[in-house]
Amino acid sequence: MTMFFQVAIDGLLTGMVYALVASGLSLIWGVMDVLNFAHGEFLMLGMYVSYWLGFLINFDPLISWIASGVFCFLLGILTYKLIIHHCLLGPPLSALLATFGLSMILKNFALNRFSPNYRLLTGTLLDGKRTLIGNIVLPMPQLITSIFALVVVFIIYYVIKRTRLGWAIQATAMDKEAAELMGINTERIFLLVFGLGGLCVGVAGGLLPSYLAVHPEVGGLFGLIAFVCVAMGGFGSIPGALLAALLIGLVEALGGFYIAPVFKYVVVFGLYLLVVMLKPKGLFGW
Amino acid sequence: MIKENTKKQDLLWYVLIVVLLLVPFIPQVAANSFTQHVFILILLYASMSQAWNIIGGYCGQVSFGHSVFFGIGAYGAGMAVVKFGITPWPGIIIGSLLAMVVAVLISYPCFKLKGHYFAIATFAIVEIFNRLFMVWYWVNGALGLDYPMVKTGWTNFVWYRTKIPYYYGALILFTTIFSIVRFIERNRFGYYLRAVREDQETAEATGINSTFIKLSAMALSAFLASFCGAFFVQYNFRVDPPMVMSLQVSMVFVLVTILGGAGTLFGPLLGALILIPLQEYTRVLWGGLGRGTDLMLFGFLIVLIMVRQPKGIMGLINEYLNYRKTRKIISAQPEINS
Amino acid sequence: MPLLEVCEISKKFGSLVANSKISFKVEEGNIVGLIGPNGAGKTTLFNCITGIYKPSEGKVFFDGSDITNLPPYKVARLGAVRTFQIVHSLKEMSVFDNVLIGAYLRERNTEKAREMANQCIDICYLTKIKNTRAGDLAIGHKKRLELARALATSPKLLMLDECMAGLTSTEVNESVSLIKSLKKKGITFLIVEHIMEAIMPIADKVVVLNGGLKIAEDHPEVVVHQESVIEAYLGQKYSKKFQLAAKGRNI
Amino acid sequence: MNFIKKISIIILTTLLVFTLVNGAAFAQEKIIKIGTLFPLTGSCALAGSRCKAAVETAVEVINNSHPECDVPLAAQEGLLGGYKIVLVHADHQGKPDIAKAEAERLFDQEGVYTIVGCYNSACTNPASMVAERQEKIFMCGCSSSAALTERGLQYFFRMAPTDKTESIEFCDVIEWMNGTKGANLKTIGIIYENTEFGKHAADEGKLAAAEAGFEVVVDVPFSPGATNMNSEVQTLKAKNPDVVFGACLGGDYTLWVRTMKQMDWLPKMCLNYCTGYQDPVITEQLGDDANYFMGGTGYAPEFAELMPAVAAVEKIYQEKIGVPFDSDSIQEAVATFILAQAIEKAGTLNYDTVRDTLYANEWNSPLSMGGKVAFVSGGQNAKAMSMITQLQGGEYKRVFPTELSTDEVIFPMIPWSKR
């Protein structure tokens, strides 16, 4: 039984990181109906920012997540200005393919600049620390990262549900033209939403190097899982993405442990298919 | 006027085929096996993308799952040669039929999903298939199937010292698939496909069984994609899951078609004509540096095209033609007035 | 035997009753108007008849066969073809191609289908714009394009959902005369319409819905005198006008 | 309009540049072109770029006079009385189809004499087939799949020990431990990345274990590039094998070790195929956590006294890439040296003569452990050997076989809590 809870907790901790990565994607998707294929690469660059800050000037990931968040915010804004803005006019796929191209550029840019070396921060504040609840081991880096993730997701959710800006975002998501008539500068909202999406993933990227090695290919699977979380949660729903991410983390861990590790992603993707077969618009979709 | 256009297009089509038939006789090409390789890849990728175009372009169901069918065809040929030690042909046929069945089985439930939900569902399917094939002992799992030395010739569809037969094989594949699509485009089925793409509800109200149309388009598309997969294996003498059944392979289908222009007959060819030489020659030039320069440039070009002309190169050409047309009309106007 | 027979159709969305036990008949060769205030359940009824919704109870018979739970395309194949209130044109295709898709329903041969499509385009006065992209059309043309595409399927029953809303008065007149001429060719119509001036003169019968119930079914001139209809739907202005007119006739 | 022009200009220039490059004939006559084919982008790019640098280093030593290096051909300049080696690099991105296409291009278009490559066994296979069909020599440094040299190819030579020999050696170690130290090790768990490389290693590991009479209680393949390895490690932990065989590449290896630390679990002994474990940056990355793991190592800087000639060559290598040789990359350098020696000895570039020379002689190879290279039919280097090392205090200590060992094995591995 301890084993079961241990595995489940591990899964939930992973799930919360997925949630943070996915909530950015979900926001972008919900408001603009654009799938950002380069999302995983944003994460990778965020991790590099945090890594270099740690490596060169000894910043702890607990501080440098701010920097990588800001970096990815700017990256998001830049992406929107230079690429997405132009693609919104075309068929829905064009933005997807453009971001696919972007992901290739970013991945190989990292390869070019930082070499294919995998890099891990050692000697961080949380490095190797653990707490115990009964017999269940809670590794500190994961725990702190997860708590951070949860907090950021809630802040984003709060901003969207409770602030003027959030209402403007919601209005834009529901009906762009109507929002424009109401005097909302949708162009700026789009810009901001892409920035916020980047911010979420940047924060995640900032925290991860404390226990995950950084290399140019690290974002790939994260990006893919974020896609699945978002689609499973439902169109642009942040609580949906959160729930889906936790579910995916859980299923991944339990499936990996009780079926076979090699099948863990099969179980995850299978779960996704099952959910959308039953609810074609995802858990919280409308 | 439509008639006239058709004739023009026909002529263009025949000229194209004749030119392609003669390509191996160009001394430059005949002497240069890498150029031959590039030509073969262009034809193969154009065929693959054209197969995808049926469902993705004409019917508007953006599937990232085509590498599954591509892979099944590939494994069909590979298993026949490696495991059973016979000619690949029965394997190709069985693989293609199997791909068709799998296509229908997996896409029937998926067609309930719309837009990005459908696209991501097909992502998931590729990942599932990829990982299952990775551990499936009977097809050698992650080890993949390596071709033994077999007798060359059309029976085995294997040549070691020359690429010209491969070229003609690819040309046959290309012509067949393009002719099929060309036939479809001008007939009832093609119009129905487009109707379903534009508005499913209207299509249904006009008496079109959209589920049947989508399923048959998917089946046809999978069947043809599977043939391309078999060709790919016969050309590379090896098959393993990441090589034929992965998201990366799926992206090629989509990328080439969309870059060229989805839902147009010549889009896939144009896409392949630009993308493949670019991919191959940038790799030749900069790949050896090991700095990812080639892939960065490749990504940059994709972004550039999507940003400047989201409808692909065909969109660009159409725009240009329209521009010329309007200019003609404008320049013709004063004469009428005076 | 009527061409279309609606028997006791009900449709509920959760606790909301959109249609409640509605029955009426459409005789062959007639024009039947289906009217009622906004939210009366007209479009829902249309959707139930054409198979987009499954009715909660009741049956629909068309041309002697039960079409209650048939999918939309089968209904269309039997010859009951509809248009949509919010136009659904196939945007990226030309006007001609739009109509051609309708024509393909009965004619597999491309050449013959083209001929048929051309005829329908001529009938609906779309000849001049037949190579235009459907998405670029003005609303009036779009509505007529819907009609043309439906027409090309050689329907027995044409069901038009507010095909004149948003048109200029000239366009409305054109449409009215078009419907009249089509009626002469033996096509039956079931028309949902808000513009009374358009529907009243041409309808052989109107069915009035209110709040999901059928409150009247009769010849237009009779219907307009019914108290319930006047109250529920026509409102003060029209009732006065019609009553005045009736008085005038009496005197 | 403008855009069309721009695009066509881009494409035309690309093509033009290509034709120019293609057409440019080398003016110098006395050169031997050698192609390298490694994964320079993609998930194996790190290893690929090191292998490429190793070949470059070897060529540097051969082409120029390097009297400080005590390796064959270092003192003289070039081969065959003045022939210089020119390298043509290619990238196969870890994809077999590209490997085949690039091998064909290197041979047909670039006109290379031979190819050194390809790191990934899955890519070496089709690429070496290209060479075989053209009856040209293919030199393979470090691809470890035993199947490569069991194909009966005529022109294929591989320097590194296979995962088969490594597996057998692993079992020997366990038996030795049981025999001399009373370790009482019985059960084995295998964790490997589910790719061609990992699967091969695991299969050979299972065979060897079965032959030696050990029980493989758990077999954990995982998808490379995973976001976490919790369930993999949990599965191992649940079965708690005495010994774990690992076949994980760099990034996954660090993740694996870290995850084990978090789960607070270690087997008594951990043996790794020559990959993540012997990467020179591993101790930097993992710090003390890397200690007490063991593995097969063909070369590590700590072997200096065994292989004194390496240091001078390594200096050149380190200038290029910043890290010392590892057992994969050094094999690629060996491959290059052996080829050059064979050409020198054969005195001709005729493929058959060079091939026969390669087979006929035992080669002096200061960069290989044991100092000798000799090929048996199929192209395997029969003298290939590796040592079992254990990371102690960040250094690779030789522990087995005993006649070459310097340090005692620390057994069992010191649990995380006591470090």
Side-chain angles (χ1 to χ4, degrees), chain C:
Chain C
M1 194 185 64
L3 184 64
L4 177 77
E5 188 177 357
V6 178
C7 297
E8 307 257 304
I9 284 288
S10 295
K11 176 70 193 171
K12 292 178 191 134
F13 296 102
S15 60
L16 180 81
V17 181
N19 292 145
S20 169
K21 304 219 173 222
I22 293 170
S23 310
F24 63 88
K25 288 173 185 167
V26 179
E27 300 294 334
E28 197 156 357
N30 277 0
I31 295 178
V32 175
L34 187 60
I35 62 176
N38 284 331
K42 301 172 306 254
T43 300
T44 309
L45 184 63
F46 248 49
N47 285 345
C48 284
I49 296 172
T50 48
I52 291 175
Y53 294 156
K54 280 185 179 156
S56 310
E57 52 187 279
K59 290 227 171 289
V60 184
F61 296 95
F62 177 75
D63 212 5
S65 53
D66 184 354
I67 60 164
T68 316
N69 283 321
L70 289 187
Y73 68 93
K74 280 193 180 157
V75 176
R77 280 180 193 177
L78 285 173
V81 180
R82 70 172 293 177
T83 65
F84 288 91
Q85 185 178 0
I86 302 159
V87 269
H88 291 200
S89 48
L90 310 174
K91 279 186 216 146
E92 295 289 329
M93 302 172 81
S94 70
V95 168
F96 179 79
D97 288 348
N98 262 272
V99 182
L100 184 61
I101 280 165
Y104 268 126
L105 181 63
R106 306 272 173 233
E107 187 55 68
R108 279 163 178 276
N109 183 305
T110 303
E111 284 308 308
K112 284 182 187 162
R114 279 174 174 279
E115 236 168 70
M116 224 158 103
N118 270 325
Q119 278 172 13
C120 293
I121 283 174
D122 287 344
I123 292 172
C124 298
Y125 318 113
L126 292 167
T127 322
K128 270 188 191 164
I129 50 165
K130 76 174 187 183
N131 289 321
T132 316
R133 194 174 149 270
D136 297 341
L137 294 180
I139 182 74
H141 285 140
K142 273 187 189 165
K143 295 242 168 191
R144 245 185 290 159
L145 172 59
E146 286 257 301
L147 187 59
R149 189 177 56 231
L151 200 59
T153 62
S154 328
K156 289 177 194 149
L157 172 69
L158 254 180
M159 301 194 279
L160 310 179
D161 195 351
E162 305 210 359
C163 72
M164 291 173 227
L167 301 193
T168 64
S169 57
T170 340
E171 284 171 335
V172 169
N173 288 338
E174 274 175 13
S175 298
V176 168
S177 61
L178 179 60
I179 290 171
K180 276 189 192 160
S181 69
L182 289 173
K183 184 194 173 188
K184 279 186 196 134
K185 291 187 179 170
I187 298 176
T188 313
F189 282 89
L190 176 62
I191 303 175
V192 167
E193 196 47 81
H194 262 318
I195 304 174
M196 290 302 124
E197 292 91 334
I199 184 74
M200 288 309 186
I202 53 170
D204 295 297
K205 180 168 93 175
V206 290
V207 175
V208 189
L209 299 185
N210 187 24
L213 294 167
K214 184 177 86 172
I215 54 170
E217 173 183 2
D218 214 324
H219 191 269
E221 287 194 14
V222 182
V223 164
V224 295
H225 292 290
Q226 281 185 12
E227 283 292 320
S228 56
V229 176
I230 293 164
E231 263 173 40
Y233 177 62
L234 294 174
Q236 296 293 318
K237 197 180 145 202
Y238 274 108
S239 64
K240 270 185 191 156
K241 198 169 152 191
F242 275 102
Q243 271 159 9
L244 277 176
K247 264 183 203 160
R249 226 176 287 155
N250 284 350
I251 295 166

Side-chain angles (χ1 to χ4, degrees), chain D residues 354-395:
Chain D
V354 173
R355 180 198 63 181
D356 294 340
T357 318
L358 272 167
Y359 270 120
N361 296 284
E362 189 176 89
W363 300 97
N364 179 19
S365 169
L367 297 189
S368 303
M369 184 178 294
K372 295 279 179 242
V373 168
F375 297 103
V376 293
S377 155
Q380 176 59 29
N381 170 12
K383 302 276 178 187
M385 58 187 286
S386 62
M387 289 204 62
I388 303 293
T389 58
Q390 183 172 37
L391 266 169
Q392 296 173 8
E395 288 189 2

Side-chain angles (χ1 to χ4, degrees), chain B residues 32-33 134 146 163 235, chain D residues 100 104 108-109 125 133 194:
Chain B
N32 191 328
S33 88
M134 283 298 258
D146 275 307
K163 283 187 178 324
Y235 183 63
Chain D
K100 177 192 170 251
E104 276 168 351
D108 298 345
Q109 258 47 68
N125 196 336
R133 270 171 231 127
N194 193 24

Side-chain angles (χ1 to χ4, degrees), chain B residues 45-182:
Chain B
Y45 280 47
S47 316
M48 272 159 70
S49 308
Q50 188 65 279
W52 183 85
N53 199 14
I54 296 174
I55 184 77
Y58 286 102
C59 198
Q61 306 297 313
V62 178
S63 151
F64 288 93
H66 267 57
S67 64
V68 170
F69 317 131
F70 187 75
I72 290 176
Y75 268 100
M79 289 296 282
V81 175
V82 179
K83 284 253 158 160
F84 297 103
I86 49 173
T87 78
W89 295 106
I92 295 174
I93 305 288
I94 292 170
S96 303
L97 293 175
L98 209 63
M100 227 160 114
V101 174
V102 171
V104 171
L105 286 182
I106 61 177
S107 48
Y108 183 73
C110 285
F111 277 142
K112 275 204 295 193
L113 309 173
K114 304 254 152 63
H116 288 320
Y117 288 97
F118 179 79
I120 293 177
T122 53
F123 270 30
I125 286 169
V126 173
E127 287 295 318
I128 290 176
F129 267 81
N130 176 290
R131 294 193 150 92
L132 290 180
F133 270 72
M134 283 298 258
V135 292
W136 190 7
Y137 182 73
W138 191 57
V139 297
N140 271 12
L143 296 182
L145 299 162
D146 275 307
Y147 273 40
M149 288 283 201
V150 292
K151 240 181 92 184
T152 59
W154 286 90
T155 3
N156 281 330
F157 203 80
V158 159
W159 292 269
Y160 295 131
R161 286 171 174 278
T162 165
K163 283 187 178 324
I164 303 290
Y166 280 120
Y167 177 81
Y168 282 115
L171 188 60
I172 292 169
L173 196 66
F174 169 83
T175 335
T176 318
I177 295 182
F178 268 67
S179 306
I180 290 173
V181 174
R182 197 160 154 277

Side-chain angles (χ1 to χ4, degrees), chain B residues 37-323:
Chain B
H37 166 76
V38 172
F39 267 100
I40 292 168
L41 279 196
I42 290 175
L43 290 182
L44 175 67
Y45 280 47
S47 316
M48 272 159 70
S49 308
Q50 188 65 279
W52 183 85
N53 199 14
I54 296 174
I55 184 77
Y58 286 102
C59 198
Q61 306 297 313
V62 178
S63 151
F64 288 93
H66 267 57
S67 64
V68 170
F69 317 131
F70 187 75
I72 290 176
Y75 268 100
M79 289 296 282
V81 175
V82 179
K83 284 253 158 160
F84 297 103
I86 49 173
T87 78
W89 295 106
I92 295 174
I93 305 288
I94 292 170
S96 303
L97 293 175
L98 209 63
M100 227 160 114
V101 174
V102 171
V104 171
L105 286 182
I106 61 177
S107 48
Y108 183 73
C110 285
F111 277 142
K112 275 204 295 193
L113 309 173
K114 304 254 152 63
H116 288 320
Y117 288 97
F118 179 79
I120 293 177
T122 53
F123 270 30
I125 286 169
V126 173
E127 287 295 318
I128 290 176
F129 267 81
N130 176 290
R131 294 193 150 92
L132 290 180
F133 270 72
M134 283 298 258
V135 292
W136 190 7
Y137 182 73
W138 191 57
V139 297
N140 271 12
L143 296 182
L145 299 162
D146 275 307
Y147 273 40
M149 288 283 201
V150 292
K151 240 181 92 184
T152 59
W154 286 90
T155 3
N156 281 330
F157 203 80
V158 159
W159 292 269
Y160 295 131
R161 286 171 174 278
T162 165
K163 283 187 178 324
I164 303 290
Y166 280 120
Y167 177 81
Y168 282 115
L171 188 60
I172 292 169
L173 196 66
F174 169 83
T175 335
T176 318
I177 295 182
F178 268 67
S179 306
I180 290 173
V181 174
R182 197 160 154 277
F183 177 79
I184 288 173
E185 191 186 35
R186 288 155 191 214
N187 279 284
R188 188 164 174 254
F189 188 60
Y191 279 94
Y192 275 15
L193 286 179
R194 272 171 280 177
V196 170
R197 173 185 69 192
E198 296 296 330
D199 192 321
Q200 204 167 313
E201 210 174 15
T202 312
E204 290 260 328
T206 321
I208 299 171
N209 182 351
S210 59
T211 315
F212 176 77
I213 293 289
K214 284 195 279 187
L215 280 180
S216 35
M218 190 57 127
L220 177 65
S221 178
F223 184 77
L224 297 176
S226 161
F227 263 97
C228 299
F231 182 88
F232 186 70
V233 177
Q234 293 298 123
Y235 183 63
N236 283 313
F237 311 125
R238 178 184 164 79
V239 50
D240 62 33
M243 187 173 153
V244 295
M245 207 182 269
S246 62
L247 210 52
Q248 271 182 331
V249 179
S250 279
M251 280 314 284
V252 173
F253 284 93
V254 184
L255 212 57
V256 171
T257 317
I258 308 259
L259 271 187
T264 56
L265 180 62
F266 287 103
L269 180 62
L270 280 175
L273 266 176
I274 290 191
L275 221 52
I276 303 307
L278 195 85
Q279 175 192 315
E280 297 296 306
Y281 289 134
T282 49
R283 198 183 63 233
V284 169
L285 282 178
W286 295 298
L289 301 176
R291 315 237 58 170
T293 319
D294 51 333
L295 297 176
M296 260 158 86
L297 190 84
F298 191 55
F300 181 70
L301 190 95
I302 294 167
V303 173
L304 197 71
I305 294 183
M306 282 295 111
V307 166
R308 297 307 295 262
Q309 181 42 272
K311 283 188 182 164
I313 297 154
M314 274 310 270
L316 213 64
I317 291 175
N318 282 339
E319 213 167 70
Y320 175 68
L321 291 179
N322 282 343
Y323 173 76

